[in-house]
Amino acid sequence: MTREPDPKYETLLQELLLGERNLDSPEVQEMLSSSESCRDLYAELRELQGDLEASGSETRSEIDQAVRDTVPADRDRVAQVFHQQSSAQTRTASTPPRRSGGHLPWALAAGFLVLAGFWFVGRDDAPSQAFLGSGSIEGLAPVGEVSDYETFRWRGETLASGYYELRIRDLQDRSRTAKSVTPLLEPEWTPTSEERAALPPAIEWEILWYDASRELVSSDRKSARRSP
Amino acid sequence: MIQKSTTAETADLAARDLALVKQVLAGEPACVDRLVERLQCVPAMIRARNRRWGQALRPDEVEDLIQDCLVVLWKKLGTFAGLSPLEHWAHRICSLEMMNALRARDRHSAAGTEVVESVPEPCQEELVATDRHRVGEGLQQLGPPAEDIIRLKHFEHLTFDEIARRTGTAVNTAKSHYYRGLRRLRQVLQGLAPEEAA
């Protein structure tokens, strides 16, 4: 451990480390030759500056490399999380404060909206997304322990625009996508017997719903495993 | 995408990033997609760091960490001050989260609740990475303003005039924070109690 330097040299030491003084200036030479603690501290702080430079260089190269190594699936994943968080934030922000009494007008308005929703969805020209209402998607099957992966199903309807993408990963190694199926228009997909056999014993499956402009609307993940 | 750029361009990018973050926080949905474009490198960033650390985390742990980091980044958007580009800010947070994940895993295995496969001895490159990691960890213990100023000096190669402009402080104050921060960092790394806050 280095002793604290003589206070009279603090300013000089600071200037030296900031590059405002040269090592060969007479004042610096006098300080380094007369004060062992200053000499040791200067050496330690210079080494630390070198470590910081190396750490900064490593960070920059890591970021540059990451930008180059980014794959489309990474973008989808980031989009999924950020859009989910954004929706949750919006829902929280728009939730009205609880008030006592005066519920009747709200109940009437809600009832009217529900009826209007049924009427709207029932129309032939209603856009498919109206079925999903809140803009969320939900995986239905397979979930948990199953005898085999028969049909993958999710809450949704046949899409007139946009598409679904189903990604199946090995639950033991989620970085490995075992199967990816896209574009799907129906809210289900049934693997062939060969495809079923090729799937890992335990899986995490993710269903992603994209609109016509290929923007991620919603997604959900579920896991399942074959019973032994 | 981060390119080799001048400090003026980097400053401009950081300022535009701050404007973007403010728009996202104000609830402008279109801006979320722009944020996604900027931070889509986060999963690759975490995978790269894990590789540099000799695959310290298993693939499934890396996947969980990526998920956690993305949520943390979103929740911490309000702390982004626009001192450096978004990718650098994200890198700092992800490094901290990875450190926490490793600590949590170590605690978990020390408590005997999980059988962990034996970890191979670190190679020389990993030891060097560990030293640099300690520097990053020490910096985080400093906190602002010393941490920010030291990072701007060594991670972004800014002059003290540029640091003063970016942080809105006087040049001499920035220099003083830097010097005192360096001394505190040395003590932190030596495992000593830091001096009084700068």
Side-chain angles (χ1 to χ4, degrees), chain B residues 46-151:
Chain B
I46 294 168
R47 289 194 296 267
R49 177 134 285 226
N50 194 46
R51 272 198 304 275
R52 200 178 283 270
W53 272 73
Q55 309 289 1
L57 293 172
R58 297 190 308 262
D60 61 314
E61 290 174 323
V62 171
E63 291 306 306
D64 288 343
L65 179 63
I66 290 171
Q67 193 72 14
D68 292 345
C69 281
L70 291 172
V71 173
V72 169
L73 286 170
W74 179 271
K75 291 188 189 302
K76 288 195 170 179
L77 273 180
T79 68
F80 178 71
L83 292 177
S84 53
L86 267 168
E87 291 87 345
H88 291 238
W89 171 79
H91 186 275
R92 196 195 304 188
I93 290 174
C94 292
S95 300
L96 182 63
E97 288 298 314
M98 183 165 175
M99 219 151 61
N100 291 339
L102 285 167
R103 284 204 188 105
R105 208 256 312 260
D106 289 348
R107 277 198 302 272
H108 197 50
S109 56
T113 49
E114 187 185 6
V115 178
V116 177
E117 292 167 19
S118 62
V119 178
E121 287 295 309
C123 64
Q124 188 58 35
E125 189 185 347
E126 288 161 16
L127 287 172
V128 171
T130 307
D131 285 345
R132 303 222 176 109
H133 169 78
R134 284 202 190 101
V135 170
E137 194 176 357
L139 269 176
Q140 266 155 351
Q141 286 189 39
L142 291 188
E147 180 190 1
D148 293 333
I149 289 171
I150 291 176
R151 282 186 188 276

Side-chain angles (χ1 to χ4, degrees), chain A residues 4 10 18 20 41 44 49 53-54 58 60 62 67 70 74-75 77 83 89 173-174, chain B residues 1 33 37 41 47 49 52 63-64 67 74 91 132 154-155 157 175 178-179 183 186 190:
Chain A
E4 288 303 301
E10 282 283 5
L18 293 179
E20 294 172 339
L41 182 60
E44 281 180 29
Q49 284 180 316
E53 275 299 305
E58 182 185 286
R60 285 190 301 276
E62 219 169 84
V67 169
T70 298
D74 291 337
R75 189 204 177 281
R77 186 163 188 186
H83 282 288
Q89 190 172 292
D173 178 6
R174 278 179 276 176
Chain B
M1 176 181 288
D33 292 329
E37 290 301 322
C41 60
R47 289 194 296 267
R49 177 134 285 226
R52 200 178 283 270
E63 291 306 306
D64 288 343
Q67 193 72 14
W74 179 271
H91 186 275
R132 303 222 176 109
H154 292 287
F155 287 49
H157 287 161
K175 286 178 181 175
Y178 171 82
Y179 175 69
R183 298 217 17 204
R186 164 182 152 269
Q190 285 174 342

Side-chain angles (χ1 to χ4, degrees), chain A residues 192-214:
Chain A
T192 64
S193 54
E194 291 81 15
E195 286 170 325
R196 236 185 345 255
L199 291 175
I203 57 168
E204 177 188 77
W205 62 278
E206 184 177 18
I207 184 66
L208 302 105
W209 170 30
Y210 292 92
D211 66 14
S213 56
R214 304 170 76 90

Side-chain angles (χ1 to χ4, degrees), chain B residues 166-187:
Chain B
R166 190 88 65 100
T167 56
T169 53
V171 177
N172 283 338
T173 308
K175 286 178 181 175
S176 176
H177 281 312
Y178 171 82
Y179 175 69
R180 281 190 284 167
L182 212 56
R183 298 217 17 204
R184 280 173 55 216
L185 179 59
R186 164 182 152 269
Q187 290 191 310

Side-chain angles (χ1 to χ4, degrees), chain A residues 173-221:
Chain A
D173 178 6
R174 278 179 276 176
S175 61
R176 190 176 76 82
T177 300
K179 181 83 182 165
S180 177
V181 195
T182 190
L184 291 165
L185 301 180
E186 302 290 337
E188 62 176 43
W189 175 73
T190 304
T192 64
S193 54
E194 291 81 15
E195 286 170 325
R196 236 185 345 255
L199 291 175
I203 57 168
E204 177 188 77
W205 62 278
E206 184 177 18
I207 184 66
L208 302 105
W209 170 30
Y210 292 92
D211 66 14
S213 56
R214 304 170 76 90
E215 289 293 328
L216 184 69
V217 179
S218 176
S219 66
D220 192 27
R221 287 185 195 199

Side-chain angles (χ1 to χ4, degrees), chain A residues 54-79:
Chain A
S55 185
S57 166
E58 182 185 286
T59 298
R60 285 190 301 276
S61 82
E62 219 169 84
I63 292 170
D64 289 345
Q65 187 65 43
V67 169
R68 283 194 296 273
D69 289 351
T70 298
V71 294
D74 291 337
R75 189 204 177 281
D76 294 346
R77 186 163 188 186
V78 175

